[in-house]
Amino acid sequence: MTDEPFRTIIEPFRIHSVEPVRLTTRAQRAAALAAAGYNLFALPAEDVLIDLLTDSGTGAMSAEQWAAIQRGNEAYAGAPSFYRFREAVTSLFPFTHVLPAHQGRAAEKILFTAACGPGMVVPNNTHFDTTRANVEFTGARAVDLPVPEGLRPAARHPFKGNMDVAALERLLSERAGDVPLVMLTVTNNSGGGQPVSMANVRAVREVCDRFGKPLFLDACRIAENAWFIRVREPGYQDRAVADIIREMAGLADGMTMSAKKDPLANIGGWLAMNDGDLAMRCRNLEILTEGFPTYGGLAGRDLEAIAQGLREAVDHDYLRYRVRSVEYLGEALERAGVPVVVPFGGHAVFIDARAMLPHIDPLAYPGQALACALYTEGGVRGCEIGTVMFGLRPDGTETAAPMDLVRLAIPRRTYTQSHIDYVIEVVTRVAERAGRLSGLRIVSQPGQLRHFTARFAPAG
Ligand code: F0G
């Protein structure tokens, strides 16, 4: 008898406790959306049926994680929960200094406050919105250097998340003195959840070495990235994901992390690095805003949940299911003729709203219009990643973002295949009537990170 695999890749768990979802009518949803100023962030979550706004902190914890929570030790300093957390982190990311933080952006805020300032430039394959905002908040400039394929939604490339190494080299030859560090986001969230190859990390490392610059990973989805390396990059097919992560971490000098993504926790993050001087400055800032460095804004029980989640995040059966479940949604939408970013990313399917709604000008926010339509049609909440999110410059002017996407992010271990089948039906129905959708205009907005709080009205 051979151990021949089955075609169906099942959820490698059974459901342990359930949370009811509430069905609403189209009229209720239309009213809720108008009251929310056409901003899906302003909706009460109970009015959402399938919530694909984010995969951040929205996953289901395992029985072992809930059990670990009971072991949480809440000592202000030196809690055993911190040491268990640090052990789990350094077993994958062998950095000398590990500073817990309440979530990823807190780690970013500390790092960039310590390392950046006016006149500086931080290159990244593509900054996530909070990363960009934290860089810009110090007066520095955040520069995205994705490979050209990364900006073409329909271009098939196994590692569309890669950084353009030649562009990095050019930037460093011109402005090395202004660059405090280089960052790689794995997977590249804003670029479509696309992975970065180990070869690219190695090439970036070489350039950093030549210019004497530290390399930091924004490692929120590094387990999914490592899975893609395992299945797509020559030479990695027999390697364990944990091992691939260690290899990548070994090429870097530090990292920021949101434990709300791949580490399968509902809250948490950390900052890690090898440089002792930088770590000392970061620790002082951490105490100012997050807390003592052995809890960093988290309860001991949260540290325990993260430690256990990290062990589960690198399990191959889990990752195979995870990546397949995203692909399942993407393939069905592609079959239905919906323009989607290909290949599919690790945590989300990205719909190309600009291609789907060519009659809506980017400055009338096709991504926002599509996200609103998906909610009104079927109570599905996605997230615009486009001109609303990235179009407002620090000087207050507005331009079209490189792409107008709607991200359907899949929370980890949370929805079943029939939930996803329902989403496919909703998106397909909206796509069939795409020509009838119209754009939006902004009624009010803040000066930064406007997508969270801006209010809109139908255009025209
Ligand atoms: N870096 C990346 C690549 C992210 O995707 C996020 C968060 C962060 C940093 C910040 O981490 O939320 O813990 O403060 N992304 C979420 C999302 C919010 O929906 O993609 P955080």
Side-chain angles (χ1 to χ4, degrees), residues 53-56 102-106 108 128-131 185 187 189 218 220-221 256-261 268 347 407:
L53 183 67
T54 178
D55 62 321
S56 178
H102 81 274
Q103 60 183 82
R105 68 198 68 184
E108 293 164 2
F128 182 65
D129 60 352
T130 60
T131 324
T185 305
T187 57
N189 181 10
D218 175 343
C220 300
R221 300 181 180 83
T256 56
M257 183 60 141
S258 169
K260 303 172 73 171
K261 279 85 173 178
H347 67 298
R407 184 184 73 173

